[in-house]
Amino acid sequence: MALHTLIGANGTIANALIPVLQANQQTIRLVSRNPKSVAGAQTAAASALHRDELIQAVAGSDVVYLLIGIDYNADVWQRDWPLIMQNTIAACQAANAKLIFFDDVYMYGRVNGPITEETPYRPSSRKGKVRAEVATMLQQAMKAGKVRASIARAVDFYGPGVSDKSAPGIYVFSNLKKGNRAQWPINANVPRSFNYTPDAAQALYLLATREEAVGQVWHLPTPQPALTGREFVQLSARAMNTPNKLFVLPKWVLKVIGWLNPFMKEAYEMNYQDEFAFQFDSSKFERAFNYTPTSYEEGIKATAAWFQHR
């Protein structure tokens, strides 16, 4: 058994990864400022903004997963993310641990066509520029042999147990559960990729335990073809046995909501992901690890069942 340490241990992806590690009988350490207690797992309180704390929390680890989420604010990201990455690299160097960085796709910006691992970084948002900076920082450290790492990228996600941190959870499943119309932001007629959290967790474990994954960027399993918003809602309504009714939120409405809601204000610069086609390609991962992503039909059915019985 190896020691797998999760930095950002209270988040959505950590919640999906912990059962995978338990099923594979791995030793688990949960690190955050206030780590939750999980049966059989170690805990260590530390801030990723404080290098000495993080080095101490990571000591003895074989694998470190950087799963942290910070306030969804571009100013905070510019201030904190570079320091978090520097400290995490230093902690992994001190422990001689492999690093798996759970990354987003903001650094790519708006892309015409499928997004692959070869897509250049052309961020079209402030937060995207920060993610390009920290990803480049890690890639340079990998290339220089300073740290053994893999970058795992995912788009927005959905799945059982995922409600407040998921656009489909908020816009679709929660509304249908209440008997309301599903919502979709800006454009429900273009394809929009999503990751299913159980697939993301299984993929992270594969990257952590397969030596050929080291030193590369990997897009986590994403089914093809991407569904349009209308198709996603139609499948969700069928799975929840509710009327297939949809309200598309105009862009100007999201702008107005942002005047009152700080999160929606920060999310506004990312609206290109919903306004235009946003297609994520994970064929590299699927070929390398002989992995078939969970279909949208199956994933939506499982997610709908969780919402109905929660």
Side-chain angles (χ1 to χ4, degrees):
M1 291 188 297
L3 175 55
H4 292 246
T5 295
L6 284 58
I7 302 174
N10 296 340
T12 299
I13 297 302
N15 289 337
L17 178 58
I18 289 168
V20 175
L21 297 174
Q22 290 171 328
N24 286 278
Q25 300 182 319
Q26 300 293 348
T27 304
I28 303 169
R29 182 183 294 163
L30 306 175
V31 177
S32 72
R33 285 174 294 183
N34 297 289
K36 62 185 179 182
S37 178
V38 173
Q42 306 170 14
T43 58
S47 169
L49 295 172
H50 299 289
R51 181 171 299 197
D52 291 343
E53 288 184 11
L54 197 61
I55 288 174
Q56 184 175 352
V58 164
S61 301
D62 297 289
V63 180
V64 172
Y65 302 86
L66 180 54
L67 311 174
I68 198 167
I70 62 176
D71 289 343
Y72 200 70
N73 179 289
D75 291 333
V76 174
W77 282 32
Q78 287 176 334
R79 183 192 70 202
D80 291 352
W81 258 117
L83 182 58
I84 289 170
M85 181 57 73
Q86 291 167 7
N87 290 346
T88 302
I89 291 172
C92 290
Q93 287 175 315
N96 193 28
K98 183 189 301 183
L99 171 60
I100 310 297
F101 175 37
F102 183 78
D103 199 5
D104 62 30
V105 295
Y106 290 4
M107 72 292 299
Y108 295 128
R110 181 186 168 189
V111 178
N112 294 319
I115 302 170
T116 73
E117 291 87 348
E118 301 302 318
T119 299
Y121 297 170
R122 291 173 181 159
S124 49
S125 65
R126 289 180 65 200
K127 287 183 282 292
K129 291 177 182 177
V130 175
R131 298 306 291 224
E133 178 186 351
V134 296
T136 300
M137 185 186 304
L138 178 54
Q139 287 175 292
Q140 289 175 343
M142 291 157 56
K143 187 175 181 180
K146 295 180 179 179
V147 65
R148 297 171 61 251
S150 300
I151 297 176
R153 293 212 169 112
V155 285
D156 290 345
F157 40 77
Y158 75 103
V162 188
S163 53
D164 60 330
K165 299 292 179 65
S166 162
I170 295 169
Y171 287 129
V172 181
F173 297 107
S174 292
N175 277 317
L176 294 178
K177 170 72 182 290
K178 298 172 186 174
N180 299 331
R181 287 184 295 175
Q183 298 176 334
W184 201 267
I186 305 177
N187 190 348
N189 298 317
V190 293
R192 174 71 157 89
S193 295
F194 290 94
N195 288 110
Y196 185 54
T197 48
D199 279 349
Q202 291 284 354
L204 288 173
Y205 182 69
L206 277 172
L207 294 179
T209 54
R210 299 285 288 269
E211 194 60 30
E212 64 267 33
V214 173
Q216 299 187 59
V217 175
W218 300 91
H219 286 182
L220 299 186
T222 312
Q224 301 292 341
L227 301 181
T228 67
R230 293 190 188 280
E231 292 169 336
F232 195 103
V233 169
Q234 183 180 30
L235 287 175
S236 303
R238 184 186 306 160
M240 299 188 78
N241 195 27
T242 60
N244 178 27
K245 294 183 179 180
L246 169 64
F247 176 68
V248 177
L249 293 162
K251 194 173 182 179
W252 68 266
V253 169
L254 299 176
K255 182 76 168 181
V256 171
I257 293 173
W259 296 342
L260 303 173
N261 184 305
F263 178 86
M264 293 301 292
K265 180 180 180 180
E266 284 291 331
Y268 192 81
E269 68 173 354
M270 310 311 304
N271 280 333
Y272 65 86
Q273 295 179 117
D274 296 302
E275 188 172 3
F276 307 101
F278 198 75
Q279 299 166 278
F280 196 56
D281 185 305
S282 63
S283 56
K284 173 186 172 181
F285 183 97
E286 295 166 44
R287 288 193 303 267
F289 303 108
N290 193 27
Y291 194 101
T292 301
T294 302
S295 69
Y296 284 113
E297 291 82 357
E298 185 179 343
I300 286 171
K301 190 178 297 183
T303 306
W306 181 84
F307 272 86
Q308 287 178 310
H309 296 104
R310 57 186 293 199

